[in-house]
């Protein structure tokens, strides 16, 4: 039998991280500020970059005047001031690439436990108009969920290692530890802020192309990758609501 559609779905409800029209511009500003801050060894620009990233994550709640979002913003601002006082202003730049990948790895991986539907399987069910998926789709969507879980875990580990051994002012050096291995800080920057996301985008496009060949019967649903992303955007509120349900 097909899964029961989630109850009380609010079509206009979007996840907090997707809210706010200025989020995209702030997200693009973050790596630029980070690169300039590292180039000029500017603590002020480093803290500004970290603050901009905080705004990216909280903008939807701030615009909606949610008290929790404003309290979180004040706490982050106080924490950044404390790190600056401790001469650890660079630390907030190293943490997000690691924490984001750890979170995404957990978010995908938690749906692989027994008794739960894999995340990509849930998404495919919505994208297929909530019709029962074929046995081939069920196996494939589980495999893709495993792939993304593995990808994010590997990216988290690589970002952590690059941050620890970055030179100058890597995490170990910030805490007064001389690392046996030194990796140029620019290598960390380009990997964490460009390659990490660029590779994810290429994987998405490549997986879509492979899926179109593996399941030719699905080609009429989206047409091309742009059509697929447009459909995904329309379905996202319902998909997000489903993903937030305990399973």
């Amino acid at each position: 039998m097909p899964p029961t559609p989630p109850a009380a779905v609010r079509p206009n409800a979007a996840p907090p991280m997707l809210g706010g029209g200025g989020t995209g511009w702030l997200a693009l500003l973050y790596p630029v500020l980070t690169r300039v801050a590292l180039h000029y060894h500017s603590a002020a620009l480093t803290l500004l970059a970290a603050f901009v990233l905080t705004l990216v994550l909280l903008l939807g709640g701030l615009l909606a005047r949610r008290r929790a979002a404003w309290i979180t913003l004040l706490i982050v601002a106080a924490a950044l001031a404390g790190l600056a006082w401790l001469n650890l202003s660079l630390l907030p730049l190293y943490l997000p690439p690691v924490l984001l990948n750890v979170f995404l790895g957990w978010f995908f991986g938690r749906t692989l436990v027994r008794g739960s539907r894999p995340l990509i399987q849930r998404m495919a069910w919505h994208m297929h108009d909530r019709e029962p998926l074929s046995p081939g789709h069920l196996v494939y969507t589980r495999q893709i969920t495993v792939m993304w879980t593995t990808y994010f875990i590997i990216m988290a580990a690589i970002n952590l290692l690059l941050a620890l051994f970055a030179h100058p002012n890597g995490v170990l050096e910030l805490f007064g530890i001389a690392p046996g291995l030194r990796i140029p800080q620019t290598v960390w920057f380009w990997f964490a802020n460009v390659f990490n996301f660029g590779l994810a985008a290429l994987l998405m496009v490549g997986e879509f192309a492979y899926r179109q060949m593996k399941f030719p019967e699905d080609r009429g649903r989206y047409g091309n990758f742009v059509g697929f992303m447009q459909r995904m955007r329309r379905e996202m509120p319902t998909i997000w609501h489903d993903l937030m349900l305990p399973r």
Side-chain angles (χ1 to χ4, degrees):
M1 295 180 61
T4 303
V9 174
R10 295 175 296 172
N12 295 323
M17 286 187 291
L18 298 179
T23 302
W25 291 108
L26 287 172
L28 291 175
L29 179 62
Y30 169 72
V32 175
L33 281 173
T34 300
R35 186 70 191 104
V36 174
L38 294 175
H39 180 77
Y40 290 103
H41 305 286
S42 171
L45 288 177
T46 300
L47 294 174
L48 179 60
F51 191 74
V52 165
L53 180 59
T54 303
L55 289 177
V56 170
L57 300 176
L58 297 177
L59 188 59
L62 295 173
L63 293 176
R65 299 182 181 180
R66 296 192 184 104
R67 181 179 301 177
W70 284 97
I71 291 175
T72 301
L73 183 66
L74 292 176
I75 292 174
V76 170
L80 292 176
L83 289 172
W85 182 71
L86 294 171
N87 293 321
L88 295 174
S89 56
L90 278 174
L91 197 58
L93 300 185
Y94 290 120
L95 291 177
V98 177
L99 297 180
L100 176 61
N101 281 291
V102 167
F103 169 76
L104 291 173
W106 167 81
F107 194 70
F108 277 71
R110 74 189 179 104
T111 65
L112 292 170
V113 299
R114 180 174 297 180
S116 181
R117 280 191 298 151
L119 188 148
I120 300 298
Q121 195 175 106
R122 298 192 204 181
M123 296 176 70
W125 176 63
H126 285 284
M127 297 289 283
H128 283 234
D129 301 313
R130 299 164 190 83
E131 298 175 355
L133 299 176
S134 69
H137 281 92
L138 293 176
V139 172
Y140 178 75
T141 50
R142 181 176 184 85
Q143 291 172 339
I144 296 303
T145 304
V146 172
M147 180 199 78
W148 281 112
T149 301
T150 304
Y151 172 82
F152 291 125
I153 292 173
I154 291 174
M155 288 297 106
I158 295 175
N159 276 295
L160 177 59
L161 289 174
L162 291 177
L164 286 172
F165 297 105
H167 175 78
N169 300 319
V171 174
L172 290 178
E173 291 184 357
L174 288 176
F175 287 95
I177 302 172
L181 173 67
R182 292 184 174 184
I183 299 173
Q185 193 181 59
T186 53
V187 173
W188 163 82
F189 170 81
W190 288 108
F191 186 91
N193 296 286
V194 179
F195 181 80
N196 194 155
F197 301 104
L199 181 57
L202 287 176
L203 280 176
M204 287 182 63
V205 175
E207 188 276 319
F208 175 82
Y210 175 76
R211 185 173 1 114
Q212 293 288 83
M213 292 187 294
K214 185 176 180 65
F215 302 104
E217 66 273 19
D218 291 347
R219 292 175 185 172
R221 292 182 182 273
Y222 324 115
N224 53 34
F225 185 73
V226 174
F228 170 77
M229 294 304 296
Q230 291 174 340
R231 174 72 182 275
M232 177 73 75
R233 182 176 181 181
R234 290 195 300 270
E235 293 287 341
M236 185 52 69
T238 304
I239 293 173
W240 185 259
H241 180 87
D242 181 25
L243 293 177
M244 291 298 99
L245 293 175
R247 296 293 170 116

